[in-house]
Amino acid sequence: DEIVQLYIALPESTVPAPQLQLGAFQRVSVKAQSSVDVTLTVQPHAHYVVHEDPYDTAWNATRVVESGRRIIYVGGGQPGEGAQVLTTGTTVENTVPLTSCPSNWTD
């Protein structure tokens, strides 16, 4: 068995964010000398950030999916840890509160 892992980087985040976030993963069985197709779905809660009002408490912080570029890494482990990974990118067009995402997309 192999664990296919998808990591997300948010290089344009306007607030501090993790360098990498695990966005999705799936265990797959792969026979020697063969390949399999894997579909990974990245839910909004896998790449949100927290916007805090400096004059309010952390209890009132807002979780948002920010607009901006995403760097996507897919492979058998974290990028930079010796695992072979594929890299691509995408862009989120609008910043939206996580609560505005469809209910089946949130944790």
XYZ file of all heavy atoms in Angstrom:
813
model
N 0.827 -1.189 0.000
C 0.000 0.000 0.000
C 0.870 1.252 0.000
O 1.967 1.260 0.553
C -0.896 0.027 1.226
C -2.101 -0.910 1.109
O -2.240 -1.575 0.070
O -2.891 -0.972 2.051
N 0.329 2.301 -0.593
C 0.965 3.617 -0.611
C -0.038 4.634 -0.080
O -1.249 4.451 -0.209
C 1.365 4.022 -2.034
C 2.433 3.157 -2.660
C 3.807 3.428 -2.075
O 4.046 4.548 -1.577
O 4.634 2.513 -2.117
N 0.470 5.704 0.502
C -0.377 6.810 0.932
C -0.068 7.988 0.007
O 1.039 8.519 0.022
C -0.111 7.230 2.390
C -0.209 6.046 3.335
C -1.044 8.366 2.794
C -1.595 5.485 3.504
N -1.045 8.369 -0.817
C -0.896 9.532 -1.684
C -1.301 10.747 -0.859
O -2.388 10.785 -0.278
C -1.784 9.412 -2.938
C -1.626 10.640 -3.815
C -1.451 8.145 -3.709
N -0.412 11.738 -0.790
C -0.635 12.913 0.044
C -0.644 14.171 -0.808
O 0.170 14.309 -1.720
C 0.458 13.020 1.097
C 0.529 11.802 1.998
C 1.775 11.804 2.854
O 2.189 12.835 3.369
N 2.383 10.644 3.018
N -1.559 15.083 -0.501
C -1.644 16.368 -1.182
C -1.416 17.463 -0.147
O -2.116 17.515 0.869
C -3.024 16.527 -1.823
C -3.268 17.799 -2.615
C -4.198 17.514 -3.776
C -3.810 18.921 -1.755
N -0.417 18.297 -0.393
C -0.103 19.406 0.500
C -0.362 20.718 -0.223
O -0.211 20.805 -1.436
C 1.365 19.352 0.953
C 1.608 18.254 1.948
C 1.942 16.976 1.531
C 1.487 18.492 3.306
C 2.153 15.951 2.442
C 1.692 17.476 4.232
C 2.021 16.221 3.787
O 2.216 15.210 4.698
N -0.746 21.734 0.550
C -1.072 23.048 0.008
C -0.199 24.098 0.682
O -0.048 24.092 1.903
C -2.549 23.401 0.273
C -3.460 22.328 -0.295
C -2.896 24.769 -0.289
C -4.892 22.440 0.168
N 0.354 25.007 -0.125
C 1.065 26.173 0.394
C 0.269 27.413 0.001
O -0.311 27.472 -1.080
C 2.477 26.250 -0.185
N 0.235 28.389 0.903
C -0.504 29.636 0.682
C 0.485 30.806 0.643
O 0.583 31.587 1.588
C -1.525 29.862 1.805
C -2.472 28.711 2.136
C -3.271 29.020 3.391
C -3.380 28.438 0.975
N 1.236 30.969 -0.450
C 2.298 31.979 -0.470
C 1.804 33.421 -0.425
O 2.572 34.322 -0.100
C 3.031 31.691 -1.780
C 2.006 31.045 -2.648
C 1.145 30.241 -1.709
N 0.533 33.668 -0.725
C 0.010 35.031 -0.748
C -0.914 35.334 0.432
O -1.640 36.324 0.408
C -0.724 35.281 -2.073
C 0.191 35.168 -3.270
C -0.527 35.276 -4.595
O -1.777 35.300 -4.627
O 0.166 35.339 -5.612
N -0.889 34.503 1.462
C -1.756 34.720 2.618
C -1.460 36.075 3.248
O -0.303 36.477 3.367
C -1.559 33.615 3.647
O -2.403 33.841 4.752
N -2.507 36.777 3.663
C -2.330 38.090 4.288
C -2.103 37.986 5.792
O -1.850 39.002 6.444
C -3.561 38.982 4.031
O -4.703 38.380 4.645
C -3.801 39.170 2.539
N -2.217 36.793 6.335
C -1.983 36.549 7.759
C -1.032 35.362 7.879
O -0.858 34.606 6.931
C -3.311 36.253 8.507
C -4.234 37.463 8.474
C -4.003 35.038 7.947
N -0.394 35.182 9.043
C 0.483 34.021 9.187
C -0.270 32.714 8.912
O -1.397 32.522 9.370
C 0.926 34.100 10.644
C 0.805 35.548 10.999
C -0.400 36.039 10.233
N 0.360 31.857 8.126
C -0.236 30.563 7.765
C 0.879 29.522 7.756
O 2.051 29.854 7.552
C -0.894 30.639 6.387
N 0.531 28.257 7.971
C 1.558 27.206 7.909
C 2.249 27.195 6.547
O 1.630 27.532 5.528
C 0.765 25.915 8.106
C -0.512 26.324 8.737
C -0.794 27.710 8.254
N 3.527 26.814 6.527
C 4.230 26.709 5.247
C 3.571 25.678 4.353
O 3.487 25.864 3.145
C 5.697 26.348 5.462
C 6.493 27.481 6.041
C 7.965 27.117 6.160
O 8.340 25.949 6.203
N 8.798 28.122 6.218
N 3.143 24.566 4.927
C 2.436 23.506 4.203
C 1.274 23.027 5.057
O 1.394 22.943 6.277
C 3.349 22.305 3.940
C 4.452 22.459 2.925
C 5.325 21.213 2.934
C 3.888 22.683 1.539
N 0.178 22.694 4.390
C -0.968 22.110 5.083
C -1.355 20.840 4.344
O -1.403 20.833 3.112
C -2.154 23.072 5.075
C -1.853 24.384 5.766
C -3.034 25.319 5.721
O -3.741 25.437 6.706
N -3.246 25.978 4.608
N -1.624 19.779 5.080
C -2.107 18.554 4.463
C -3.524 18.809 3.998
O -4.407 19.116 4.795
C -2.057 17.389 5.455
C -2.518 16.032 4.931
C -1.645 15.558 3.776
C -2.516 15.008 6.057
N -3.753 18.712 2.684
C -5.061 19.025 2.119
C -5.934 17.806 1.896
O -7.154 17.886 1.972
N -5.312 16.669 1.614
C -6.066 15.433 1.372
C -5.065 14.287 1.320
O -3.871 14.490 1.075
C -6.843 15.516 0.066
N -5.559 13.072 1.527
C -4.711 11.889 1.387
C -5.599 10.689 1.122
O -6.796 10.702 1.392
C -3.828 11.656 2.622
C -4.594 11.340 3.871
C -4.840 10.029 4.235
C -5.064 12.357 4.691
C -5.544 9.728 5.392
C -5.768 12.079 5.846
C -6.007 10.758 6.193
N -4.989 9.653 0.555
C -5.719 8.412 0.271
C -4.739 7.250 0.245
O -3.667 7.347 -0.340
C -6.446 8.515 -1.064
C -7.270 7.298 -1.407
C -8.041 7.493 -2.716
O -8.225 8.595 -3.203
N -8.473 6.404 -3.275
N -5.120 6.158 0.879
C -4.341 4.923 0.820
C -4.749 4.167 -0.442
O -5.940 4.012 -0.715
C -4.594 4.056 2.043
C -3.792 2.748 2.041
C -4.125 1.868 3.238
N -3.802 2.525 4.492
C -2.610 2.442 5.099
N -1.649 1.707 4.571
N -2.398 3.071 6.231
N -3.756 3.728 -1.220
C -4.038 2.974 -2.444
C -3.144 1.743 -2.505
O -2.037 1.741 -1.969
C -3.826 3.830 -3.713
C -4.814 4.978 -3.775
C -2.406 4.360 -3.802
N -3.642 0.713 -3.141
C -2.844 -0.488 -3.394
C -2.326 -0.426 -4.817
O -3.104 -0.244 -5.756
C -3.694 -1.751 -3.210
O -4.081 -1.874 -1.867
N -1.015 -0.558 -4.963
C -0.385 -0.485 -6.278
C 0.488 -1.719 -6.456
O 1.393 -1.958 -5.656
C 0.480 0.788 -6.424
C 1.052 0.888 -7.819
C -0.304 2.028 -6.062
N 0.211 -2.478 -7.489
C 1.045 -3.643 -7.780
C 2.348 -3.178 -8.416
O 2.422 -2.122 -9.039
C 0.306 -4.602 -8.712
C -0.929 -5.207 -8.067
C -1.642 -6.146 -9.007
C -2.896 -6.695 -8.312
N -3.672 -7.539 -9.171
N 3.398 -3.990 -8.258
C 4.706 -3.665 -8.824
C 4.588 -3.405 -10.324
O 3.843 -4.089 -11.032
C 5.688 -4.805 -8.556
N 5.312 -2.404 -10.784
C 5.375 -2.044 -12.205
C 4.016 -1.614 -12.768
O 3.765 -1.764 -13.955
C 5.947 -3.199 -13.038
C 7.283 -3.724 -12.575
C 8.367 -2.653 -12.595
O 8.448 -1.867 -13.535
N 9.170 -2.603 -11.550
N 3.137 -1.095 -11.919
C 1.841 -0.630 -12.409
C 1.540 0.739 -11.814
O 2.282 1.261 -10.988
C 0.737 -1.626 -12.051
O 0.568 -1.699 -10.662
N 0.463 1.328 -12.262
C 0.052 2.621 -11.731
C -1.457 2.604 -11.499
O -2.167 1.735 -12.020
C 0.423 3.744 -12.707
O -0.276 3.578 -13.932
N -1.920 3.542 -10.720
C -3.348 3.680 -10.462
C -3.706 5.164 -10.551
O -2.861 6.031 -10.324
C -3.755 3.135 -9.075
C -3.536 1.642 -8.980
C -3.036 3.843 -7.963
N -4.950 5.453 -10.896
C -5.456 6.817 -10.874
C -6.041 7.090 -9.497
O -6.732 6.243 -8.930
C -6.544 7.013 -11.931
C -5.994 6.982 -13.345
O -4.821 7.345 -13.533
O -6.754 6.603 -14.259
N -5.753 8.257 -8.976
C -6.240 8.647 -7.651
C -6.914 10.008 -7.781
O -6.376 10.905 -8.415
C -5.084 8.735 -6.634
C -5.572 9.224 -5.289
C -4.385 7.401 -6.501
N -8.076 10.149 -7.188
C -8.768 11.436 -7.144
C -8.777 11.925 -5.705
O -9.247 11.217 -4.812
C -10.220 11.298 -7.656
O -10.190 10.836 -9.006
C -10.948 12.623 -7.586
N -8.228 13.102 -5.491
C -8.209 13.716 -4.169
C -9.046 14.983 -4.213
O -8.902 15.790 -5.130
C -6.779 14.057 -3.751
C -5.818 12.882 -3.624
C -4.396 13.375 -3.418
C -6.235 11.974 -2.491
N -9.912 15.150 -3.245
C -10.759 16.340 -3.160
C -10.280 17.199 -2.005
O -10.179 16.728 -0.875
C -12.236 15.943 -2.944
O -12.636 15.099 -4.033
C -13.129 17.161 -2.883
N -9.987 18.452 -2.295
C -9.544 19.389 -1.266
C -10.755 20.195 -0.809
O -11.340 20.942 -1.590
C -8.441 20.318 -1.793
C -8.029 21.316 -0.725
C -7.243 19.507 -2.270
N -11.108 20.022 0.447
C -12.233 20.749 1.021
C -11.768 22.129 1.497
O -10.591 22.320 1.827
C -12.814 19.959 2.198
C -13.260 18.565 1.856
C -14.469 18.547 0.922
O -15.124 19.553 0.684
N -14.777 17.373 0.395
N -12.661 23.117 1.558
C -12.263 24.460 2.004
C -11.601 24.487 3.384
O -10.693 25.270 3.618
C -13.590 25.232 2.019
C -14.415 24.551 0.990
C -14.053 23.087 1.110
N -12.022 23.615 4.299
C -11.423 23.645 5.644
C -9.963 23.206 5.630
O -9.267 23.363 6.618
C -12.238 22.809 6.634
C -12.184 21.338 6.394
N -13.128 20.681 5.644
C -11.298 20.405 6.791
C -12.822 19.392 5.599
N -11.719 19.197 6.279
N -9.481 22.698 4.500
C -8.083 22.263 4.411
C -7.138 23.410 4.066
O -5.923 23.242 4.121
C -7.937 21.151 3.372
N -7.688 24.581 3.714
C -6.791 25.701 3.374
C -7.370 27.054 3.792
O -7.202 28.056 3.110
C -6.419 25.682 1.884
C -7.567 25.770 0.937
N -7.846 26.909 0.229
C -8.506 24.868 0.579
C -8.910 26.703 -0.527
N -9.333 25.476 -0.330
N -8.007 27.081 4.950
C -8.487 28.364 5.453
C -7.430 29.001 6.350
O -6.475 28.348 6.791
C -9.816 28.212 6.201
C -9.713 27.585 7.581
C -9.431 28.356 8.699
C -9.902 26.222 7.756
C -9.341 27.785 9.961
C -9.820 25.647 9.015
C -9.540 26.437 10.111
O -9.443 25.872 11.346
N -7.589 30.290 6.592
C -6.748 31.015 7.540
C -7.671 31.724 8.526
O -8.878 31.814 8.310
C -5.812 32.033 6.841
C -4.808 31.317 5.955
C -6.607 33.059 6.052
N -7.101 32.245 9.587
C -7.889 32.904 10.626
C -7.602 34.405 10.592
O -6.458 34.825 10.722
C -7.564 32.328 12.020
C -8.342 33.069 13.097
C -7.862 30.838 12.057
N -8.651 35.186 10.382
C -8.557 36.642 10.457
C -9.043 37.059 11.828
O -10.175 36.754 12.207
C -9.429 37.294 9.388
C -8.835 37.228 8.029
N -9.359 37.918 6.965
C -7.773 36.566 7.528
C -8.657 37.685 5.886
N -7.687 36.858 6.198
N -8.183 37.755 12.562
C -8.550 38.214 13.904
C -8.692 39.723 13.902
O -7.929 40.433 13.257
C -7.481 37.803 14.913
C -7.388 36.313 15.115
C -6.365 35.938 16.161
O -5.758 36.834 16.778
O -6.163 34.733 16.368
N -9.652 40.199 14.649
C -9.818 41.624 14.878
C -8.910 41.983 16.050
O -9.077 41.446 17.145
C -11.273 41.930 15.205
C -11.532 43.412 15.422
O -10.567 44.171 15.680
O -12.703 43.813 15.340
N -7.921 42.866 15.838
C -6.984 43.166 16.929
C -7.655 43.800 18.147
O -7.082 43.823 19.223
C -5.980 44.127 16.290
C -6.675 44.683 15.107
C -7.659 43.645 14.643
N -8.881 44.291 17.992
C -9.592 44.918 19.098
C -10.634 43.985 19.712
O -11.433 44.387 20.527
C -10.262 46.208 18.616
C -9.263 47.163 18.034
C -9.179 47.344 16.664
C -8.362 47.839 18.851
C -8.238 48.199 16.122
C -7.411 48.695 18.323
C -7.351 48.875 16.951
O -6.416 49.709 16.417
N -10.615 42.733 19.306
C -11.603 41.775 19.784
C -10.869 40.555 20.338
O -9.659 40.455 20.277
C -12.525 41.365 18.631
C -13.916 40.981 19.110
O -14.070 40.678 20.304
O -14.827 40.978 18.278
N -11.610 39.588 20.818
C -11.004 38.380 21.362
C -10.858 37.326 20.269
O -11.506 37.397 19.219
C -11.875 37.797 22.485
O -13.107 37.350 21.915
C -12.138 38.812 23.572
N -10.028 36.354 20.537
C -9.837 35.258 19.579
C -11.128 34.477 19.383
O -11.304 33.798 18.378
C -8.722 34.330 20.053
N -12.041 34.569 20.339
C -13.311 33.842 20.210
C -14.127 34.358 19.039
O -14.998 33.673 18.529
C -14.120 33.957 21.498
C -13.420 33.348 22.664
C -12.860 34.003 23.719
C -13.171 31.966 22.881
N -12.275 33.117 24.585
C -12.456 31.846 24.089
C -13.469 30.801 22.178
C -12.050 30.623 24.610
C -13.065 29.585 22.695
C -12.364 29.513 23.892
N -13.870 35.583 18.612
C -14.621 36.175 17.509
C -13.830 36.183 16.212
O -14.185 36.889 15.275
C -15.051 37.599 17.865
C -16.069 37.607 18.978
O -16.932 36.742 19.031
N -15.970 38.570 19.879
N -12.755 35.434 16.154
C -11.958 35.359 14.935
C -12.795 34.727 13.817
O -13.683 33.919 14.065
C -10.698 34.542 15.174
N -12.491 35.103 12.589
C -13.221 34.605 11.434
C -12.330 33.687 10.611
O -11.213 34.067 10.245
C -13.684 35.781 10.542
O -14.464 36.676 11.336
C -14.501 35.291 9.369
N -12.810 32.479 10.352
C -12.089 31.553 9.477
C -12.514 31.852 8.038
O -13.708 31.866 7.746
C -12.400 30.105 9.834
C -12.003 29.745 11.259
C -12.201 28.294 11.588
N -13.581 27.871 11.387
C -13.979 26.608 11.440
N -13.119 25.651 11.687
N -15.235 26.299 11.249
N -11.532 32.114 7.165
C -11.843 32.451 5.779
C -10.967 31.654 4.824
O -9.839 31.279 5.152
C -11.671 33.960 5.473
C -12.578 34.809 6.342
C -10.234 34.406 5.623
N -11.503 31.414 3.646
C -10.722 30.910 2.528
C -10.328 32.159 1.746
O -11.185 32.823 1.161
C -11.527 29.922 1.660
C -10.724 29.504 0.440
C -11.941 28.707 2.486
N -9.055 32.520 1.815
C -8.583 33.752 1.183
C -8.386 33.567 -0.316
O -8.037 32.488 -0.776
C -7.230 34.175 1.764
C -7.291 34.849 3.080
C -5.965 35.486 3.451
O -4.902 34.891 3.198
O -6.006 36.578 3.996
N -8.572 34.663 -1.026
C -8.227 34.646 -2.440
C -6.712 34.586 -2.567
O -5.980 34.908 -1.634
C -8.772 35.894 -3.140
O -8.170 37.057 -2.597
N -6.254 34.146 -3.705
C -4.814 34.109 -3.943
C -4.350 32.765 -4.466
O -5.114 31.822 -4.640
N -3.063 32.723 -4.715
C -2.429 31.554 -5.314
C -2.274 30.433 -4.304
O -2.029 30.668 -3.126
C -1.060 31.980 -5.860
C -0.360 30.979 -6.706
C 0.808 31.621 -7.462
N 1.677 32.391 -6.595
C 2.842 31.956 -6.129
N 3.284 30.768 -6.459
N 3.586 32.718 -5.351
N -2.423 29.210 -4.778
C -2.152 28.007 -4.004
C -1.105 27.201 -4.764
O -1.196 27.053 -5.981
C -3.389 27.118 -3.853
C -4.620 27.768 -3.268
C -4.414 28.090 -1.798
N -5.632 28.487 -1.127
C -6.046 29.742 -1.020
N -5.381 30.714 -1.591
N -7.144 30.025 -0.346
N -0.124 26.694 -4.049
C 0.818 25.752 -4.640
C 0.430 24.380 -4.116
O 0.273 24.190 -2.910
C 2.277 26.089 -4.291
C 2.611 27.507 -4.769
C 3.226 25.068 -4.916
C 3.949 28.018 -4.307
N 0.240 23.440 -5.027
C -0.232 22.094 -4.695
C 0.904 21.101 -4.929
O 1.514 21.106 -6.003
C -1.434 21.692 -5.585
C -2.484 22.796 -5.628
C -1.971 20.337 -5.187
C -3.331 22.933 -4.429
N 1.162 20.272 -3.944
C 2.174 19.217 -4.038
C 1.480 17.878 -3.816
O 0.749 17.715 -2.844
C 3.246 19.385 -2.955
C 3.931 20.725 -2.947
C 3.470 21.758 -2.143
C 5.057 20.951 -3.737
C 4.106 22.990 -2.123
C 5.701 22.184 -3.722
C 5.216 23.195 -2.910
O 5.850 24.410 -2.897
N 1.717 16.921 -4.698
C 1.108 15.592 -4.563
C 2.198 14.545 -4.693
O 3.017 14.588 -5.623
C 0.028 15.342 -5.638
C -0.581 13.954 -5.486
C -1.052 16.410 -5.573
N 2.221 13.590 -3.769
C 3.205 12.518 -3.825
C 3.093 11.605 -2.630
O 2.063 11.557 -1.955
N 4.174 10.902 -2.357
C 4.184 9.930 -1.270
C 4.627 10.489 0.060
O 4.833 9.743 1.011
N 4.804 11.800 0.152
C 5.219 12.423 1.401
C 5.291 13.919 1.248
O 4.939 14.471 0.202
N 5.777 14.592 2.278
C 5.914 16.044 2.233
C 6.990 16.454 1.244
O 8.032 15.797 1.160
C 6.289 16.590 3.601
C 5.184 16.574 4.603
C 5.584 17.316 5.874
O 6.628 17.949 5.940
N 4.750 17.210 6.879
N 6.767 17.545 0.520
C 7.831 18.050 -0.346
C 9.037 18.459 0.491
O 8.882 18.945 1.610
C 7.195 19.255 -1.038
C 5.959 19.559 -0.296
C 5.571 18.349 0.470
N 10.203 18.210 -0.037
C 11.418 18.563 0.680
C 11.875 17.527 1.677
O 12.881 17.692 2.337
N 11.162 16.443 1.820
C 11.524 15.388 2.776
C 12.032 14.140 2.056
O 11.968 13.043 2.602
C 10.317 15.034 3.659
C 9.826 16.182 4.521
C 10.855 16.602 5.555
O 11.543 15.730 6.109
O 10.982 17.812 5.795
N 12.464 14.285 0.814
C 12.992 13.153 0.070
C 11.962 12.409 -0.760
O 12.297 11.526 -1.532
N 10.699 12.747 -0.599
C 9.642 12.087 -1.380
C 9.545 12.732 -2.757
O 9.713 13.941 -2.900
C 8.298 12.200 -0.660
N 9.273 11.924 -3.755
C 9.061 12.448 -5.096
C 7.654 13.030 -5.156
O 6.672 12.352 -4.815
C 9.220 11.350 -6.138
C 9.102 11.853 -7.553
C 9.332 10.748 -8.569
O 9.521 9.596 -8.215
N 9.314 11.113 -9.824
N 7.528 14.303 -5.541
C 6.226 14.951 -5.584
C 6.023 15.660 -6.918
O 6.970 16.071 -7.567
C 6.030 15.975 -4.441
C 6.064 15.300 -3.081
C 7.044 17.081 -4.517
N 4.765 15.780 -7.308
C 4.363 16.588 -8.449
C 3.898 17.934 -7.914
O 3.291 18.007 -6.848
C 3.224 15.915 -9.219
C 3.508 14.512 -9.737
C 2.239 13.901 -10.330
C 4.606 14.553 -10.778
N 4.177 18.999 -8.649
C 3.814 20.337 -8.205
C 2.972 21.024 -9.267
O 3.261 20.926 -10.453
C 5.082 21.184 -7.950
O 5.923 20.488 -7.029
C 4.729 22.539 -7.381
N 1.940 21.702 -8.829
C 1.105 22.505 -9.715
C 0.577 23.683 -8.916
O 0.928 23.846 -7.747
C -0.058 21.669 -10.321
O -0.698 22.431 -11.350
C -1.061 21.245 -9.273
N -0.246 24.483 -9.505
C -0.811 25.621 -8.798
C -2.220 25.913 -9.256
O -2.669 25.418 -10.291
N -2.895 26.702 -8.461
C -4.234 27.166 -8.794
C -4.452 28.481 -8.065
O -3.657 28.867 -7.214
C -5.316 26.125 -8.420
O -6.559 26.520 -8.987
C -5.446 25.966 -6.924
N -5.520 29.169 -8.419
C -5.826 30.445 -7.785
C -7.266 30.447 -7.301
O -8.170 30.022 -8.018
C -5.615 31.612 -8.773
O -4.258 31.604 -9.205
C -5.929 32.950 -8.130
N -7.460 30.922 -6.076
C -8.798 31.139 -5.526
C -9.127 32.598 -5.822
O -8.365 33.493 -5.474
C -8.833 30.840 -4.009
C -10.167 31.221 -3.413
C -8.508 29.377 -3.753
N -10.265 32.835 -6.469
C -10.607 34.176 -6.943
C -11.139 35.118 -5.873
O -10.888 36.312 -5.926
C -11.623 34.082 -8.081
C -11.077 33.379 -9.320
C -9.932 34.129 -9.971
O -9.920 35.377 -9.947
O -9.028 33.452 -10.502
N -11.912 34.612 -4.908
C -12.563 35.477 -3.926
C -12.321 34.979 -2.507
O -12.281 33.781 -2.274
C -14.078 35.518 -4.163
C -14.429 36.103 -5.512
O -14.035 37.217 -5.831
N -15.151 35.346 -6.319
N -12.203 35.921 -1.574
C -12.123 35.572 -0.160
C -13.544 35.398 0.367
O -14.392 36.261 0.153
C -11.412 36.683 0.634
O -10.068 36.792 0.162
C -11.406 36.383 2.127
N -13.786 34.260 1.021
C -15.114 33.995 1.580
C -14.973 33.409 2.975
O -14.033 32.663 3.247
C -15.949 33.029 0.697
C -16.260 33.648 -0.640
C -15.260 31.707 0.533
N -15.910 33.728 3.864
C -15.897 33.083 5.180
C -16.111 31.581 5.021
O -16.865 31.144 4.153
C -17.082 33.717 5.917
C -17.399 34.961 5.166
C -16.982 34.709 3.751
N -15.451 30.811 5.843
C -15.602 29.359 5.765
C -17.052 28.964 5.966
O -17.539 28.006 5.350
C -14.712 28.684 6.814
C -14.583 27.178 6.740
C -13.991 26.732 5.406
C -13.730 26.657 7.877
N -17.800 29.727 6.756
C -19.208 29.410 6.989
C -20.066 29.598 5.742
O -21.184 29.095 5.675
C -19.780 30.268 8.127
O -19.574 31.654 7.792
C -19.127 29.948 9.446
N -19.558 30.313 4.727
C -20.299 30.508 3.482
C -20.131 29.340 2.509
O -20.820 29.269 1.498
C -19.837 31.782 2.769
O -20.145 32.906 3.553
N -19.207 28.449 2.804
C -19.001 27.289 1.938
C -20.153 26.313 2.144
O -20.740 26.269 3.226
C -17.665 26.615 2.257
S -16.255 27.703 1.940
N -20.487 25.508 1.137
C -21.573 24.538 1.305
C -21.360 23.692 2.558
O -20.244 23.332 2.895
C -21.494 23.686 0.047
C -20.863 24.581 -0.964
C -19.882 25.443 -0.190
N -22.451 23.379 3.251
C -22.356 22.691 4.541
C -21.675 21.342 4.445
O -21.057 20.888 5.391
C -23.738 22.540 5.170
O -24.555 21.754 4.318
N -21.752 20.678 3.300
C -21.085 19.376 3.174
C -19.592 19.549 2.930
O -18.881 18.560 2.791
C -21.733 18.543 2.068
C -21.625 19.184 0.701
O -21.532 20.402 0.581
N -21.639 18.366 -0.324
N -19.073 20.763 2.873
C -17.653 21.011 2.679
C -16.917 21.366 3.952
O -15.721 21.475 3.982
C -17.440 22.132 1.675
C -17.634 21.733 0.261
C -18.155 20.564 -0.204
C -17.329 22.515 -0.876
N -18.189 20.579 -1.567
C -17.683 21.754 -2.013
C -16.781 23.762 -1.060
C -17.520 22.218 -3.297
C -16.622 24.225 -2.346
C -16.982 23.457 -3.441
N -17.598 21.640 5.026
C -16.923 22.050 6.258
C -16.773 20.877 7.200
O -17.421 19.848 7.033
C -17.705 23.182 6.959
O -18.990 22.705 7.279
C -17.772 24.424 6.111
N -15.911 21.040 8.221
C -15.738 19.972 9.184
C -16.835 20.038 10.172
O -17.583 19.427 10.550
C -14.415 20.012 9.944
C -13.801 21.370 10.143
O -14.503 22.348 10.367
O -12.593 21.421 10.066
